[in-house]
Amino acid sequence: MGAPLSTAAKNSYSNGQDYIEMCDHRNNITMCPLCDKTCTYWKISSACATARASHLFDNPATVFFSVFMALWAATFMEHWKRRQMRLNYRWDLTGFEEEQDHPRAEYEAKVLQKSLKKEHRRKEKHQPVPEDNTNKWRQRVKTAMAGVKLTEKEKLTWRDRVPAYVTNLVGIVFMIGLTFAIVFGVIVYRVSTAAALAMSSNPSARANVRVTVTATAVIINLVVILILDEVYGCIARWLTQIEVPKTDKTFEERLIFKAFLLKFVNAYTPIFYVAFFKGRFVGRPGDYVYIFGSFRMEECAPGGCLMELCIQLSIIMLGKQLIQNNLFEIGIPKMKKLIRYLKLRRETYLGHEEHLKRKQRYELDYDLEPFAGLTPEYMEMIIQFGFVTLFVASFPLAPLFALLNNIIEIRLDAKKFITELRRPVAVRGKDIGIWYNILRGIGKLAVIINAFVISFTSDFIPRLVYLYMYSPDGTMHGFLNNTLAYFNVSDFKPGTGPNIDQDVGYPVEICRYKDYREAPWSENKYDITKEFWAVLAARLAFNLVMFMSDFVDWIIPDIPKDISEQIHREKVLMVEVFLKEEQGKLQMLETWKDHDKKRGENCNNQSPRLSRSNTGSTRSAYSHRIDV
């Protein structure tokens, strides 16, 4: 009997028995109102279309795909490290050390200002004799000319940077709070619009409340994200400038970190809300949670919030790719180029002949947009990597759209770099710097978030718990009824119940809502049931999948075996070459010593003969003189 039961369970689970039961009009399940007073009771079968769409993304295949993508993110980072090591070896950068950057001009000016203040205070304390203004000016010029030497003697301490650090902290917290406030404002818009449409006299408007509210709210979020991305980029640069980093490398790393933090929060906060907060703190009928006193918190659709998360993620991702990454990248440089060309033409117009003169190549290149670095390109790919990996469980088509976007992006970037931007200055680098740490952090976060999406946003875990613990026949039959709690309409607070109930055609005494709570006729009515804690324990246990990335990181070596062997072989050869050179030097020294010894012996042997010959010659010369 065990095999047939497991087969039936598998078939009923894969076929989506829960949404089949939801679409069955014979199930006379009356649901509680979605808002106070104006909303009335409704049939569970009216949410059939939403349930069918949700089943496309909330099924076992999607779950396994999200686990695969989480593992892919970890494997991708390991492959990146190995590929980076291969390129380092191929381009002869294994022993490359970046040259020490010179202090930035702003840093030198700040240090000079600090040293002048110290000198001024010191002179005020000792009250020296007033000097000639010419000598003072000459001394200041000499001090300014020795800016590099000055930065070696003086430097900015943490006390000098405290105001800048406080401003950075307050500014970043304020910007993140602004993002949260905007998301909260969109939530209020959703709640109020849903209540207004529910009171509409148009039946089609009441029937499409959820779709209308979701679509308009996502479009508002997209517009806000596009605007705040530009604002946050400027604010991140200003916050980094007031810190006065010492080198260009430090400046770039701090700017990248601040810009990424702000843009990450800006892009993913609405998605995080739908994935983990919507429908979690709504309360229950008779004891709802309200905002601003009269608006109830949003509830998920009967099929869950995964479909809405899919809509949110797809519109934001595709909107950013089409508008920000493609149109802005081509349109804005062209517009700046045209403005610069018109301005330069107006300033340098000397006559008709000068206007007709054909410009040289360097003059045409000067009209192009200055190269501002690769930070925007990296930022696009990092944010896209987050869309692909963080919430892939809700939008499995994200990798496909990312691939199509990158194919187009390569062509657009090639055109932009060749025709719209000035030539960049080539600089050697052994890695991508701080971007790798950001990628690595997103990869680890992707594993955790996918685990939470599957366990808390999807109904995958509740289905498994029901199938193996609470199903009477080992199938998914009855799962929908198991997830709906009972509520006695007489327990509504005064003024919160529906004014009319004609939509269902009969008086309602008991309505249903999605939660695990005791029935109103039990002793502990409306208390949380034991099944809720069983589902919660299973959800938390499933999050152990987050440790898979560490296992992948541990099992895959950072350096390919052939590259490590070649590097080791080169080191051995280098040591042998050094030893041969040292041995050659020792042999040369010994040869020179032997040669010096032989030369010394020859000199000692020849010195008596030389003395006797000299005496003889002297005597012959003396006798010759006597004869003369």
Side-chain angles (χ1 to χ4, degrees):
M1 293 297 292
L5 282 177
S6 61
T7 304
K10 181 178 179 181
N11 293 333
S12 62
Y13 188 84
S14 60
N15 293 332
Q17 183 65 33
D18 52 341
Y19 91 82
I20 293 176
E21 292 179 354
M22 189 178 295
C23 294
D24 190 358
H25 293 277
R26 294 174 297 179
N27 287 334
N28 191 19
I29 300 178
T30 304
M31 302 296 293
C32 295
L34 298 176
C35 62
D36 293 341
K37 297 181 182 179
T38 57
C39 297
T40 184
Y41 305 103
W42 54 285
K43 294 287 187 142
I44 190 67
S45 58
S46 63
C48 176
T50 305
R52 287 180 182 274
S54 297
H55 182 69
L56 295 176
F57 302 97
D58 191 2
N59 55 70
T62 305
V63 173
F64 288 114
F65 177 71
S66 62
V67 173
F68 166 77
M69 287 299 298
L71 290 176
W72 173 86
T75 308
F76 172 77
M77 296 310 304
E78 297 304 315
H79 173 73
W80 184 282
K81 287 191 294 186
R82 294 167 64 86
R83 179 63 177 171
Q84 182 175 268
M85 196 62 200
R86 286 185 181 277
L87 293 178
N88 281 339
Y89 180 78
R90 183 182 302 175
W91 293 343
D92 195 19
L93 294 173
T94 51
F96 173 74
E97 294 293 338
E98 296 182 359
E99 297 180 359
Q100 185 177 5
D101 293 337
H102 296 287
R104 300 174 65 246
E106 293 82 357
Y107 181 83
E108 292 182 352
K110 196 76 174 179
V111 172
L112 176 61
Q113 184 180 3
K114 178 182 177 181
S115 62
L116 291 176
K117 286 183 180 179
K118 282 186 177 181
E119 183 181 355
H120 182 68
R121 292 173 185 172
R122 189 163 47 249
K123 287 182 178 180
E124 285 183 349
K125 289 181 181 180
H126 294 289
Q127 295 181 355
V129 180
E131 297 181 0
D132 187 13
N133 292 333
T134 306
N135 295 333
K136 286 184 177 182
W137 174 251
R138 185 179 300 171
Q139 184 66 27
R140 289 187 178 183
V141 170
K142 289 181 179 179
T143 306
M145 293 295 291
V148 178
K149 295 181 180 180
L150 184 63
T151 54
E152 294 178 357
K153 297 179 181 179
E154 293 284 346
K155 63 180 181 179
L156 298 181
T157 60
W158 64 271
R159 294 182 179 179
D160 302 321
R161 300 180 186 271
V162 164
Y165 289 154
V166 173
T167 305
N168 271 262
L169 180 61
V170 173
I172 292 175
V173 172
F174 176 77
M175 291 297 106
I176 295 176
L178 176 63
T179 303
F180 290 163
I182 292 174
V183 173
F184 182 75
V186 175
I187 295 172
V188 174
Y189 161 79
R190 295 163 66 109
V191 173
S192 58
T193 305
L197 291 177
M199 293 186 296
S200 176
S201 59
N202 189 357
S204 62
R206 293 198 303 269
N208 299 316
V209 169
R210 195 176 297 276
V211 176
T212 305
V213 171
T214 301
T216 55
V218 173
I219 292 174
I220 294 173
N221 280 327
L222 176 61
V223 173
V224 171
I225 287 172
L226 294 178
I227 295 174
L228 289 184
D229 266 356
E230 304 299 325
V231 175
Y232 286 167
C234 299
I235 291 176
R237 180 170 292 275
W238 176 73
L239 291 176
T240 309
Q241 288 175 349
I242 64 176
E243 282 188 41
V244 195
K246 184 175 181 179
T247 62
D248 290 331
K249 182 179 179 180
T250 307
F251 179 86
E252 185 178 3
E253 288 181 351
R254 295 184 181 183
L255 173 62
I256 289 171
F257 178 75
K258 293 183 182 66
F260 170 75
L261 178 62
L262 294 176
K263 292 186 178 183
F264 181 88
V265 173
N266 182 39
Y268 296 114
T269 299
I271 303 174
F272 271 97
Y273 162 72
V274 176
F276 302 119
F277 296 98
K278 184 178 179 180
R280 300 286 182 268
F281 310 101
V282 297
R284 60 169 180 82
D287 189 20
Y288 284 114
V289 177
Y290 294 89
I291 55 176
F292 298 125
S294 58
F295 295 108
R296 274 166 45 179
M297 291 294 293
E298 287 187 287
E299 297 183 42
C300 290
C305 284
L306 202 63
M307 185 61 193
E308 186 172 346
L309 180 61
C310 173
I311 297 174
Q312 184 104 6
L313 181 62
S314 60
I315 294 179
I316 292 177
M317 178 181 175
L318 297 179
K320 280 181 65 66
Q321 288 179 350
L322 294 176
I323 299 175
Q324 189 177 42
N325 298 352
N326 294 331
L327 296 181
F328 284 3
E329 280 192 3
I330 298 299
I332 292 179
K334 281 186 176 294
M335 188 181 300
K336 290 183 178 180
K337 177 183 176 181
L338 179 61
I339 294 174
R340 189 181 300 104
Y341 172 74
L342 295 176
K343 183 179 179 181
L344 185 64
R345 180 182 177 183
R346 185 170 57 253
E347 292 177 353
T348 60
Y349 186 76
L350 300 176
H352 186 66
E353 295 181 358
E354 184 69 22
H355 176 66
L356 295 177
K357 182 180 177 181
R358 185 176 181 179
K359 289 187 176 183
Q360 300 294 326
R361 181 73 258 176
Y362 65 89
E363 294 176 323
L364 296 174
D365 290 343
Y366 182 75
D367 294 336
L368 300 178
E369 178 73 11
F371 180 71
L374 294 174
T375 299
E377 310 299 330
Y378 276 110
M379 190 68 72
E380 292 175 15
M381 293 296 103
I382 296 295
I383 297 297
Q384 185 191 85
F385 182 74
F387 281 125
V388 170
T389 57
L390 293 181
F391 297 96
V392 72
S394 61
F395 187 41
L397 295 178
L400 176 61
F401 284 110
L403 176 62
L404 296 176
N405 173 77
N406 291 343
I407 293 174
I408 301 173
E409 184 82 10
I410 291 173
R411 307 303 176 188
L412 294 178
D413 284 344
K415 180 177 177 56
K416 180 180 68 173
F417 279 103
I418 293 174
T419 62
E420 306 296 337
L421 298 180
R422 298 176 187 173
R423 294 182 181 179
V425 179
V427 180
R428 299 178 71 190
K430 62 188 304 182
D431 51 29
I432 59 175
I434 193 175
W435 291 112
Y436 177 77
N437 297 329
I438 294 175
L439 270 175
R440 187 178 179 84
I442 292 179
K444 289 186 174 296
L445 188 62
V447 180
I448 301 173
I449 290 180
N450 274 287
F452 273 89
V453 168
I454 295 171
S455 57
F456 287 95
T457 308
S458 169
D459 284 336
F460 177 72
I461 300 299
R463 290 180 187 135
L464 289 181
V465 172
Y466 175 78
L467 181 64
Y468 292 105
M469 295 181 63
Y470 296 97
S471 176
D473 55 356
T475 65
M476 292 298 296
H477 293 287
F479 171 73
L480 178 64
N481 186 67
N482 180 259
T483 58
L484 299 177
Y486 294 88
F487 179 74
N488 193 335
V489 298
S490 61
D491 293 332
F492 274 121
K493 291 182 179 179
T496 61
N499 296 330
I500 54 176
D501 55 1
Q502 284 83 3
D503 285 1
V504 294
Y506 53 86
V508 178
E509 297 181 357
I510 299 294
C511 64
R512 309 290 295 275
Y513 60 99
K514 191 171 183 178
D515 204 347
Y516 293 101
R517 291 183 180 272
E518 298 287 349
W521 51 81
S522 64
E523 296 181 359
N524 302 318
K525 66 176 184 178
Y526 306 132
D527 286 348
I528 295 175
T529 62
K530 294 180 180 180
E531 188 173 352
F532 170 83
W533 299 111
V535 172
L536 180 61
R539 284 172 167 171
L540 295 177
F542 183 80
N543 288 324
L544 294 176
V545 74
M546 68 180 61
F547 296 103
M548 289 190 301
S549 62
D550 296 330
F551 176 73
V552 173
D553 191 5
W554 172 76
I555 199 173
I556 299 178
D558 295 342
I559 303 176
K561 186 177 180 180
D562 56 339
I563 298 297
S564 61
E565 291 178 353
Q566 291 178 6
I567 293 175
H568 177 69
R569 192 181 303 113
E570 288 182 357
K571 289 182 179 180
V572 172
L573 292 176
M574 290 291 292
V575 171
E576 292 179 357
V577 170
F578 289 147
L579 290 176
K580 288 181 180 179
E581 288 183 356
E582 294 297 327
Q583 290 177 357
K585 291 178 181 179
L586 291 175
Q587 290 178 359
M588 290 178 64
L589 289 175
E590 292 177 356
T591 303
W592 288 346
K593 287 180 181 179
D594 295 339
H595 185 67
D596 291 341
K597 287 181 181 180
K598 291 180 180 180
R599 183 182 297 176
E601 292 176 355
N602 292 334
C603 291
N604 293 331
N605 294 332
Q606 293 177 2
S607 58
R609 297 178 182 177
L610 289 173
S611 62
R612 285 195 297 271
S613 61
N614 290 336
T615 305
S617 61
T618 304
R619 288 178 180 175
S620 60
Y622 179 75
S623 61
H624 178 70
R625 289 179 182 177
I626 293 174
D627 293 340
V628 174

